[in-house]
Amino acid sequence: MTSAPTTELRTHTDLGPIRGDILDTYAEVRAPLLHLPNYAVTAFGERLDRHSTEPGFVAVLAYAEGTPVGYVYGNRIEHGDRYWQRTAPEPSQEYTSQPAVALKEIGVRPAWRKTGTAKALHDAFLAARDEPYVTLMVNPAAGDGKVHALYRSWGYEDIGQSQPSPASPILTVMILATR
């Protein structure tokens, strides 16, 4: 990993002013996959809009010279949330009996990968949270398995699988204690 160029991290709880920056960044981050229905910008925009109305929504964007270079967002999930209901095997009560934060999406433009930007975004996102666990879903094939391995290197552990929608691949559900 090379040292991270100077970025400014901005935390938001309102999607309105940053929606365009997230969509533009997403389009570059996911460019090789945009032909797949689940990864189309319109499908992502619909998920983003829905997620932004859920409890505890927070997004953090990284900017370099005023240009967005990465983002992360998520929200609080409670016991009985559909997130947990779609996870198999059923997750331990240790994780589901109290609120957790679901990291819904993280993306960094290709030119900014391997600079520490993703980890800085992740850590800034978690710094604004008080839930005892953070969970995320990852496509185990992403980056030929490198993305899954990256999350493991950050301390996440696999706890199951989920297919959030019929158009989605089967994803690995991971968890990390935040305190």
Side-chain angles (χ1 to χ4, degrees):
M1 176 172 71
T2 60
S3 64
T6 304
T7 58
E8 176 189 358
L9 300 179
R10 301 179 196 164
T11 301
H12 300 269
T13 56
D14 179 11
L15 178 62
I18 58 168
R19 187 178 190 275
D21 286 350
I22 293 176
L23 290 177
D24 290 347
T25 306
Y26 173 88
E28 185 175 338
V29 167
R30 303 285 185 242
L33 301 171
L34 295 180
H35 66 284
L36 300 170
N38 189 61
Y39 291 96
V41 174
T42 53
F44 172 72
E46 290 168 2
R47 284 192 304 276
L48 176 62
D49 292 343
R50 183 178 69 250
H51 294 153
S52 74
T53 65
E54 294 174 348
F57 173 82
V58 171
V60 181
L61 281 77
Y63 290 87
E65 298 179 5
T67 300
V69 298
Y71 64 89
V72 60
Y73 79 84
N75 59 278
R76 184 176 53 257
I77 56 174
E78 305 277 348
H79 179 73
D81 190 276
R82 66 185 175 160
Y83 184 100
W84 295 128
Q85 292 174 1
R86 295 185 301 220
T87 302
E90 182 177 335
S92 164
Q93 287 275 337
E94 173 186 0
Y95 308 132
T96 63
S97 65
Q98 55 196 325
V101 62
L103 190 158
K104 298 287 179 83
E105 178 85 22
I106 186 169
V108 175
R109 291 184 191 263
W112 286 82
R113 292 180 186 155
K114 298 183 181 176
T115 65
T117 301
K119 183 71 164 120
L121 283 163
H122 175 269
D123 292 351
F125 173 76
L126 290 182
R129 311 303 311 194
D130 61 3
E131 296 89 354
Y133 292 98
V134 59
T135 181
L136 58 78
M137 296 181 191
V138 62
N139 182 339
D144 294 324
K146 291 177 187 170
V147 177
H148 189 199
L150 176 67
Y151 293 142
R152 281 190 173 150
S153 77
W154 292 355
Y156 283 87
E157 298 176 23
D158 297 357
I159 60 166
Q161 294 183 322
S162 181
Q163 187 173 17
S165 72
S168 170
I170 294 175
L171 304 174
T172 299
V173 180
M174 304 183 83
I175 198 137
L176 171 71
T178 59
R179 38 184 152 125

